[in-house]
Amino acid sequence: MSKRVAVVTGSNKGIGLATVRALCKNFDGDVFVTARDEGRGQQAIKDLEKENLHPKFHQLDITSKESIGKLKEFLEKNYGGLDVLVNNAGIAYKSASTAPFTEQAEVSVGCNFFGTLDVCDALFPLLRPHSRVVHVASRAGTMALGKMGKELVTKLRSSTLTQPELIALMNQFVSDVKAGNHEAKGWPAWAYGTSKLGVIALTAVQARAMTGDSREDILINCCCPGLVATDMYPKGPKTPDQGAETSVYLALLPVNAGKPQGEFLGEKKVIPWLKDGAGMNFNPL
Ligand code: NAP
């Protein structure tokens, strides 16, 4: 039987690095640090080696289909599959950023939603039975939902939403921002929140699609790490190790756990985002 393997995206620092640390201690198989920058990735490996942990490294930029394709080939050739995928890589413009909102919308949705989606589309065929997939989303996503028009809320929460429909909605957000009419169309003026809501909705769509899959017991969930002191949010009260706890919990759900499936979790508990009010007024500051 091939060796089991776990991949964490954006894991050269922050919550991703902490997720690798915990998986090295608790996952029975090889654990991969991936980073868009090879030097930063190798430094992370060196730092973890000092803790007597021995992850491996592979380059991965989630916004590059070529880079994703190389990782896929590598996993196929060396492991014949994949057992744990933690989609942690993400970006957030600082609130003080002066970058035009059109750029913030395109780049945030491009990386956080489409980058995550492209990794999934490439790597899902490699998932073995009993695999676990975790997307690191954010409560910013459900807060963004609370700022959206009714029609959009209904579409994004629909139990029949398909992947092409969700892709169209995320593209619509970016094009409405470019046209300057996003607020009239019911979108919030919040690129990061909208991109993470896309990830939360994607989780539900992907989990539904798994229902008809011949591979047994593949669980796909997403989570909010809480407010974590990293380069993204230096004021966060949690340490990266604490922020990684829900991702790690979901990545290590026992064989045949059955649930959660397609859910959004915080502090290891399901946040019922399909119901009005749930998670929609969480104040991160
Ligand atoms: P971070 O310290 O800024 O780490 C983000 C990681 O993602 C870095 O390794 C970064 O690599 C990587 N990354 C960015 N773009 C990438 C790309 N195109 N391809 C591959 N990797 C890429 O932030 P963090 O706080 O640990 O965030 C981890 C996840 O948690 C993110 O998805 C974030 O949205 C989410 N989150 C964080 C908080 C919080 O309070 N910190 C709250 C809610 C959700 P580089 O080093 O090359 O930039």
Side-chain angles (χ1 to χ4, degrees), residues 21 50-51 57 63 76 89 123 129 164 197 206 218 224 239 246 274-275:
R21 177 182 290 118
K50 285 184 204 148
E51 299 176 32
F57 174 74
T63 63
E76 252 173 342
L123 300 189
L197 178 58
Q206 290 173 329
I218 295 179
C224 176
T239 64
T246 302
L274 296 171
K275 286 187 192 143

Side-chain angles (χ1 to χ4, degrees), residues 9-265:
T9 70
S11 48
N12 52 290
K13 65 178 183 178
I15 299 164
L17 180 68
T19 305
V20 167
R21 177 182 290 118
L23 289 178
C24 283
K25 293 175 184 169
N26 297 297
F27 173 73
D28 175 24
D30 287 345
V31 182
F32 274 79
V33 165
T34 64
R36 55 182 164 179
D37 179 86
E38 170 113 31
R40 289 197 284 271
Q42 295 293 2
Q43 185 58 51
I45 296 284
K46 277 191 197 153
D47 292 345
L48 289 167
E49 290 280 351
K50 285 184 204 148
E51 299 176 32
N52 205 22
L53 301 172
H54 307 289
K56 297 178 180 296
F57 174 74
H58 201 284
Q59 195 274 346
L60 176 66
D61 180 342
I62 68 164
T63 63
S64 161
K65 287 196 178 165
E66 193 193 340
S67 169
I68 296 171
K70 283 186 183 160
L71 174 64
K72 179 184 182 178
E73 248 177 60
F74 171 85
L75 290 169
E76 252 173 342
K77 194 168 158 220
N78 292 281
Y79 293 89
L82 177 61
D83 301 284
V84 168
L85 172 63
V86 181
N87 282 305
N88 165 84
I91 52 153
Y93 284 80
K94 302 283 179 214
S95 49
S97 170
T98 53
F101 190 56
T102 47
E103 176 197 311
Q104 296 197 22
E106 188 158 36
V107 175
S108 304
V109 170
C111 180
N112 298 345
F113 177 76
F114 284 107
T116 299
L117 176 67
D118 288 344
V119 170
C120 292
D121 283 348
L123 300 189
F124 274 19
L126 299 187
L127 293 175
R128 284 190 266 258
H130 313 293
S131 293
R132 305 291 179 244
V133 177
V134 185
H135 307 322
V136 183
S138 171
R139 285 182 176 91
T142 48
M143 289 169 64
L145 190 74
K147 297 174 192 295
M148 276 181 192
K150 252 190 174 168
E151 205 183 315
L152 282 172
V153 171
T154 305
K155 282 184 185 167
L156 284 157
R157 280 173 162 171
S158 166
S159 60
T160 59
L161 181 70
T162 63
Q163 187 163 304
E165 286 166 351
L166 178 58
I167 289 171
L169 282 169
M170 289 294 111
N171 279 327
Q172 191 64 53
F173 169 65
V174 175
S175 62
D176 288 345
V177 168
K178 284 184 182 165
N181 61 2
H182 55 285
E183 284 177 288
K185 295 277 200 76
W187 296 105
W190 195 4
Y192 178 75
T194 304
S195 71
K196 290 295 187 179
L197 178 58
V199 173
I200 296 169
L202 178 66
T203 309
V205 168
Q206 290 173 329
R208 276 198 296 278
M210 269 300 158
T211 312
D213 198 282
S214 61
R215 295 164 294 180
E216 61 175 317
D217 183 35
I218 295 179
L219 297 178
I220 305 168
N221 292 287
C222 65
C223 65
C224 176
L227 295 174
V228 185
T230 63
D231 287 348
M232 184 177 285
Y233 191 69
K235 284 192 283 188
K238 283 188 176 182
T239 64
D241 289 332
Q242 290 169 333
E245 281 173 12
T246 302
S247 298
V248 173
Y249 162 75
L250 290 169
L252 297 177
L253 285 169
V255 168
N256 296 329
K259 62 182 183 180
Q261 172 70 306
E263 302 280 10
F264 175 46
L265 283 84

